[in-house]
């Protein structure tokens, strides 16, 4: 079967990737630059506690062990707190696996296992609470979409979002106080995003902002912005390597073989056949297009009534996608057609969002005209559903 690849279908998948990835990580004091790691200190997550020794999985160079003598100063701060003068003092017994810690080493300690002079901890429970509050705030006060233009001098970014009757242009106003971040190369982790000037944002980028919106959501005074450039790939799987957690996919747009790395952060779903045909039909209808191959089957699916996938004319593409079953790497096999959004790269990329069971979508070029907007970053409840997983 020859599969046609409309470019904007893949762009639509890219749009949902960001709404999934953006809200997941809380702002810690460490991520916001309260303390800059140096050779005499490190930041990471506690993975083991034995006696008076901590094992910390660092953010940079693997596991490190550190002894915590009774003389060490132990502090607890809230995520985002920067002033250590208001931090609470804690005991060694208050530390737990999963806590985030900044460990300052004692330069005068005897040779052997490093000893801590000071530990500043962010409790795992505090991080989880901050994550939840951040997700809710991004949902309530956030906007997102595709960058249409950037006026660096004026500090104004124009986005496009929505489709049909819901299509709109969003003007994002920035100031010197706006926190501007950009995803790091080969990463979609919010905590790994790096500060970047407004000049780093370009037309075609995906962007999400949060702040004070006007009543109709067409303007926002941004307090925080995160953006990135990503790649979209559609094609058939040539091979699956479970040991290395990779796929080889022949990109139908470039005709090149791509190595796709699958990490634990990847969002992977499979569209059931009826759902895929129904989705293709609805996208075609929204675009005013026709497809001789997909229309009869899709129409049959519509007549099946109001089933699990929102039949009978109800539901929107974003909601349908969110209800698609999650899959694992082991569920994919050679020959499966997939659409995915990934980090940028020439021959090797890391998957952000992967969708299998997409043959009807790739056979429906007219559907591509509205898919981007239907799966935009500013998708409402779909974002909250995805972020909560």
């Amino acid at each position: 079967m020859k599969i046609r690849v409309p470019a904007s279908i893949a762009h639509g998948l890219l749009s949902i990737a960001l709404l999934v990835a953006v809200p997941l990580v809380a702002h810690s004091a460490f991520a916001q630059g309260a303390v800059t790691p140096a050779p005499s200190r490190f930041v990471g997550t506690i993975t083991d506690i034995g006696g008076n020794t901590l094992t910390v999985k660092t953010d940079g160079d693997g596991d490190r062990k550190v002894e915590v003598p009774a003389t060490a100063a132990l502090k607890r701060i809230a995520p985002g707190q920067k002033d250590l003068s208001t931090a609470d003092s804690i005991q060694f017994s208050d530390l737990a696996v999963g806590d985030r810690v900044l460990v300052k080493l004692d330069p005068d300690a005897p040779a052997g296992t490093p000893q801590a002079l000071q530990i500043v901890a962010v409790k795992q429970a505090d991080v989880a609470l901050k994550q939840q509050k951040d997700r809710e705030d991004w949902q309530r006060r956030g906007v997102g979409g595709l960058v249409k233009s950037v006026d660096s001098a004026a500090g104004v970014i124009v986005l496009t979002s929505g489709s049909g009757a819901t299509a709109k242009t969003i003007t994002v106003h920035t100031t010197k106080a706006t926190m501007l971040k950009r995803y790091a190369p080969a990463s979609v982790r919010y905590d790994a995003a790096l500060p970047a000037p407004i000049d780093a944002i370009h037309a075609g980028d995906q962007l999400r902002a949060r702040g004070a919106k006007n009543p109709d959501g067409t303007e926002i005074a941004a307090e925080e912005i995160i953006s990135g450039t990503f790649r979209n790939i559609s094609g058939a799987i040539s091979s699956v390597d479970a040991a290395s957690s990779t796929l080889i996919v022949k990109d139908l747009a470039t005709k090149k073989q791509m190595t796709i790395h699958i990490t634990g952060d990847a969002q992977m779903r499979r569209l059931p056949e009826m759902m895929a045909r129904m989705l293709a039909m609805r996208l075609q209808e929204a675009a005013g297009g026709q497809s001789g191959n997909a229309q009869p089957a899709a129409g049959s699916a519509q007549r099946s009534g109001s089933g699990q996938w929102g039949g009978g004319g109800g539901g929107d593409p974003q909601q349908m996608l969110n209800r698609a079953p999650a899959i694992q790497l082991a569920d994919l096999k050679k020959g499966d057609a997939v659409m995915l959004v990934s980090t940028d790269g020439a021959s090797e990329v890391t998957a952000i969002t992967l969708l299998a069971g997409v043959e009807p979508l790739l056979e429906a070029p007219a559907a591509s005209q509205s898919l981007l907007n239907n799966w935009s970053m500013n998708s409402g409840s779909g974002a909250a559903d995805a972020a909560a997983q």
Side-chain angles (χ1 to χ4, degrees), residues 125-172:
D126 295 341
V127 172
L129 180 60
K130 183 64 165 62
Q131 287 176 336
Q132 179 61 31
K133 290 182 177 179
D134 275 356
R135 282 194 292 265
E136 293 172 354
D137 193 53
W138 275 103
Q139 181 62 34
R140 184 178 64 257
R141 302 196 305 132
V143 300
L146 190 69
V147 175
K148 182 179 180 181
S149 65
V150 181
D151 185 338
S152 301
V156 174
I157 305 165
V158 178
L159 310 179
T160 57
S161 179
S163 65
T166 64
K168 63 182 178 182
T169 298
I170 303 171
T171 302
V172 181

Side-chain angles (χ1 to χ4, degrees), residues 3 10 59 64 123 176 182 276 280 305 357:
I3 301 176
D59 293 346
R64 297 186 65 171
K123 298 295 292 179
K176 292 182 179 179
R182 196 158 177 86

Side-chain angles (χ1 to χ4, degrees), residues 154-246:
V156 174
I157 305 165
V158 178
L159 310 179
T160 57
S161 179
S163 65
T166 64
K168 63 182 178 182
T169 298
I170 303 171
T171 302
V172 181
H173 299 277
T174 69
T175 68
K176 292 182 179 179
T178 303
M179 182 186 299
L180 297 169
K181 288 187 174 183
R182 196 158 177 86
Y183 285 104
S187 171
V188 291
R189 290 181 60 86
Y190 185 84
D191 57 347
L194 304 172
I198 192 171
D199 290 342
I201 303 172
H202 305 288
D205 284 353
Q206 291 291 329
L207 182 145
R208 190 158 176 82
R210 64 171 168 174
K213 295 186 287 186
N214 67 347
D216 62 3
T218 57
E219 293 195 44
I220 182 170
E223 300 166 5
E224 183 174 2
I225 288 175
I226 187 163
S227 64
T229 301
F230 298 93
R231 178 167 182 174
N232 44 76
I233 297 169
S234 300
I237 296 176
S238 301
S239 64
V240 179
D241 187 340
S244 62
S245 298
T246 59

Side-chain angles (χ1 to χ4, degrees), residues 1-4 6 277 291 293-294 358-365:
M1 176 181 66
K2 185 176 180 180
I3 301 176
R4 300 178 66 183
R277 294 194 178 279
S291 172
N293 291 331
V358 296
E359 288 82 352
L361 294 179
L362 298 183
E363 293 173 356

